[in-house]
Amino acid sequence: MENIALYAISAALNGQKVFCKFLAANDTGLTGGHQEGIYIAKPAIPILFETPGERGQNKDRWVEIKWQGDFIRRSRFIYYGQGSRNEYRITNFGKGFPFLRPEYTGALFVLVMDSEEYYQGFVLNTEDDINQFLDAFGVSPTETNRLIQIREADLELREKTAIEEFISGLTVDFPASEEMSAAARRIQNAVYDHENFIIDNPDRKLLDWTDAEFKLFRALEYARYGDMITHGFPSVEDFINTANIVLNRRKSRAGKSLEHHLAAIFDGNGVRYKAQAITEGNKKPDFIFPSQDAYHDAAYSTDRLVSLAAKTTCKDRWRQILNEADRLRDRPKYLCTLQQGISATQMDEMQAENVILVVPKPYIQAYPADRRERIWTLGHFVTYVKEVENL
């Protein structure tokens, strides 16, 4: 696996309990001692058993452990309580198990409990992997051999890890904008568990998704160009060409990102629409509600048709939407934007052209106070479109 530390971090963040320790010579057989398996200190008993063992008797249980995200072994958790022994170990790793050889002495062993019967195990054997894992949870080398407390405050780490996992799994330099937007939504929904906001608070959800995609895209840019920028360019021409590629890709992504996330909001609310519908003169409004067929059906009332344009910024380009749907020339024209504020004069010009701005609720305060009542939130627009479709 290319980045085993990243995989271990992800498993730890999603597990029920997490334990780590440095493998001792006794664990790996370097001392030639008779003890079998990996010793687990008593503070970490809960990852093995619900209750501690009782002196004078042994107890054990069998579980499945997936090692390095690769292969599964059925192993034994055992408490030795008879005679002079009073210790916990993991044993029965199977023939040819590679990680308990002397060369793994000093490696970091990570055990993650996913369920009562299923675990994941990792052995991190390089300094970079060990430091990456410990740093992720703020654990010093002296704080190992115990359970790791995974806190809710680690949400940013979860997001960062999920982003790195997505990037490491790519087979292309930059995926299509639709795939990037979808990945950002999956990551944000999984990490923050606010998928209900699609219906309950679509304004917040749109901003969360947009922010997640920006982080994802920025991380991907760094992964693809970080080394190149650090080591410099052989010529000015090479620098300019690379800069143009980066800037053009940024512009293209930003232009499509808002459309993709709005479509996901509409899907999540059961709103019928057609993205990039073809109207008169082969024009393509970003969204027509409820469908392209309805738009071209002369018998379908224009009172039940709605068009929406999506522009990340609209300060200078809002007039482009005025002629995108001739059938609706006498109807309001809706424009969703992430622009944080425009002048009172421009808002008056929009009103004169019957353009209604649709803006995420937190951004409305950036607009002139005496004209904010003209602005719709995304939640208001979604409710309106659903009402229109049910006329």
Side-chain angles (χ1 to χ4, degrees), residues 137-174:
F137 299 105
V139 175
S140 77
T142 61
E143 295 173 320
T144 58
N145 210 15
R146 66 189 69 179
L147 296 179
I148 296 175
Q149 300 301 317
I150 307 297
R151 303 175 300 277
E152 192 66 20
D154 289 316
L155 287 175
E156 289 188 7
L157 173 59
R158 293 176 190 266
E159 184 178 47
K160 181 176 182 292
T161 302
I163 287 173
E164 290 175 353
E165 283 186 319
F166 172 77
I167 292 174
S168 66
L170 289 175
T171 58
V172 296
D173 277 352
F174 283 85

Side-chain angles (χ1 to χ4, degrees), residues 52-72:
E54 296 182 10
R55 291 300 302 271
Q57 55 185 296
N58 297 342
K59 77 170 181 176
D60 68 349
R61 71 187 188 95
W62 291 80
V63 299
E64 288 189 341
I65 304 178
K66 187 174 186 179
W67 292 93
Q68 308 292 87
D70 182 21
F71 61 93
I72 296 176

Side-chain angles (χ1 to χ4, degrees), residues 281-350:
N282 205 35
K283 296 173 183 175
K284 294 181 179 180
D286 293 317
F287 297 95
I288 287 288
F289 306 85
S291 68
Q292 180 174 296
D293 290 340
Y295 181 87
H296 289 290
D297 182 357
Y300 198 90
S301 171
T302 56
D303 291 339
R304 300 177 61 196
L305 294 172
V306 178
S307 69
L308 175 72
K311 294 188 181 296
T312 306
T313 59
C314 67
K315 188 174 182 180
D316 300 317
R317 299 185 300 135
W318 64 270
R319 293 183 181 278
Q320 295 173 1
I321 76 169
L322 297 179
N323 299 313
E324 289 182 340
D326 291 350
R327 271 198 77 185
L328 304 179
R329 64 173 62 91
D330 297 324
R331 302 278 300 159
K333 306 162 187 68
Y334 298 92
L335 170 60
C336 183
T337 183
L338 300 180
Q339 178 89 40
Q340 295 189 52
I342 57 175
S343 69
T345 298
Q346 285 181 312
M347 290 194 69
D348 291 343
E349 291 174 356
M350 289 181 178

Side-chain angles (χ1 to χ4, degrees), residues 4-174:
I4 191 63
L6 179 60
Y7 200 94
I9 292 168
S10 178
L13 287 169
N14 292 290
Q16 294 182 17
K17 295 182 177 74
V18 184
F19 166 82
C20 74
K21 64 166 284 184
F22 289 101
L23 292 177
N26 204 306
D27 297 312
T28 61
L30 184 61
T31 63
H34 70 280
Q35 286 88 347
E36 179 189 23
I38 300 175
Y39 172 78
I40 303 297
K42 291 179 179 61
I45 291 172
I47 202 168
L48 303 181
F49 298 105
E50 289 187 1
T51 58
E54 296 182 10
R55 291 300 302 271
Q57 55 185 296
N58 297 342
K59 77 170 181 176
D60 68 349
R61 71 187 188 95
W62 291 80
V63 299
E64 288 189 341
I65 304 178
K66 187 174 186 179
W67 292 93
Q68 308 292 87
D70 182 21
F71 61 93
I72 296 176
R73 292 289 171 89
R74 187 161 176 77
S75 296
R76 185 188 189 200
F77 293 167
I78 184 168
Y79 166 67
Y80 295 102
Q82 294 180 339
S84 62
R85 300 184 70 177
N86 179 24
E87 62 187 46
Y88 297 82
R89 287 186 178 271
I90 304 174
T91 67
N92 295 83
F93 297 94
K95 185 178 180 181
F97 186 74
F99 301 117
L100 293 185
R101 298 196 296 262
E103 58 264 35
Y104 284 97
T105 302
L108 186 70
F109 165 58
V110 178
L111 183 67
V112 179
M113 177 184 177
D114 287 337
S115 69
E116 289 290 336
E117 304 297 330
Y118 187 83
Y119 288 70
Q120 295 190 66
F122 302 90
V123 177
L124 310 180
N125 200 32
T126 71
E127 187 173 337
D128 286 344
D129 285 341
I130 292 170
N131 289 335
Q132 184 178 357
F133 184 88
L134 295 179
D135 291 347
F137 299 105
V139 175
S140 77
T142 61
E143 295 173 320
T144 58
N145 210 15
R146 66 189 69 179
L147 296 179
I148 296 175
Q149 300 301 317
I150 307 297
R151 303 175 300 277
E152 192 66 20
D154 289 316
L155 287 175
E156 289 188 7
L157 173 59
R158 293 176 190 266
E159 184 178 47
K160 181 176 182 292
T161 302
I163 287 173
E164 290 175 353
E165 283 186 319
F166 172 77
I167 292 174
S168 66
L170 289 175
T171 58
V172 296
D173 277 352
F174 283 85

